[in-house]
Amino acid sequence: MPLAVVAAVAACGQQSQQPAESGVDDAGNVTLYTTREPGLIQPLLDAFSEETGIRVDTVFVRDGLNERLRAEGERSPADVVMTVDTGNLLDLVEAGHAQPLQSGVLEAAIPAHLRDPEGRWFALSLRDRVLYAEKDLELDGFAYEDLADPQWKGKVCIRSGQHPYNISLIAAMIARHGEAATEQWLRGVKANLARKAAGGDREVARDILGGICDIGIANAYYVGRMKNSEEGSEQRQWGDAIKVVRPVFSGAEDGGTHVNISGAILARHAPNRDNAVTLLEYLVSDAAQSLYAKANYEYPVKAGVELDPVVASFGELKVDPLPLAEIAANRKLASELVDRVGFDQ
């Protein structure tokens, strides 16, 4: 199996490894800049190299991705840039780091609202923002708006409102209902909190097990990780204490569950453009999308791909059709509302 290069710049607080022999026929290389932990995507990259003979040199950039690309300019070795969160992806586009790509393969695999109409960014996997509920709680359905219902007073757990996962959800609420209604909703959610908005998504499940809260909002893929953890482990106990309900937006005929994404761009100055396109198209193949689903428990963007059994048990995912760019446009206002209502205090 080939090993990607994990390169870094010491000033950016990154760690480096030297390239190893790939063990595949040499069809050139492609350089991937990514904010994703290399271990999470390495199975995809290994499979790609085995199939194509193209070596993937991976540069893990924890912070300062935009700044690094700006500093490198036309000299940048980046061919593909991969990140998580719609806002982070669109920041790259707005900073001029992407070049447009028209690809029938990408357009056929990725629904229109999950890619840029001008071909500057593409979603590769989905992260649905769902309800964790105590496993014996009777719920026929749930709307995101219900989090502010007084019946849940003292029963809701959630991580910081300023976390990108929650900023994205709040931004979608603004797109659906406007600023004033979203502010009122946020105040209602804060009034229902069982504890300070803090911790991570898995801590929501932990605190449901501990009887601190009954429900909470978190990403679905964490449940895949928890429920597939070793029998008897803490995380397995947390996962086994909850069930997943996929909320929708109230009153929206076209409403579905809010998703965030992992995605990628074709770098503006990609020196290995053809290999970069080959990598991007591979990442929406059935094989790669299945690896996303089974290794990371994320939801594939391509329809018809087999899911991990735990993820499949959540039922069909109907994605909220609001364009991601429209949601991302409200991020700044969403952050301001979190501070305005003192959500994290």
Side-chain angles (χ1 to χ4, degrees), residues 141-154:
F142 202 85
Y144 293 108
E145 292 82 355
D146 294 340
L147 288 168
D149 191 313
Q151 72 169 309
W152 299 111
K153 188 172 181 62

Side-chain angles (χ1 to χ4, degrees), residues 25-46:
D25 294 334
D26 185 13
N29 73 298
V30 60
T31 299
L32 171 68
Y33 279 19
T34 179
T35 62
R36 304 204 68 180
E37 292 287 346
L40 295 177
I41 56 173
Q42 195 59 52
L44 293 163
L45 305 181
D46 288 343

Side-chain angles (χ1 to χ4, degrees), residues 9 31 39 47 58 113 139 147 154 173 212 260 279 326 331 342:
V9 175
T31 299
T58 305
H113 64 286
L139 282 175
L147 288 168
M173 191 70 70
I212 296 172
N260 210 318
L279 174 59
E326 183 178 344
R331 283 180 300 149

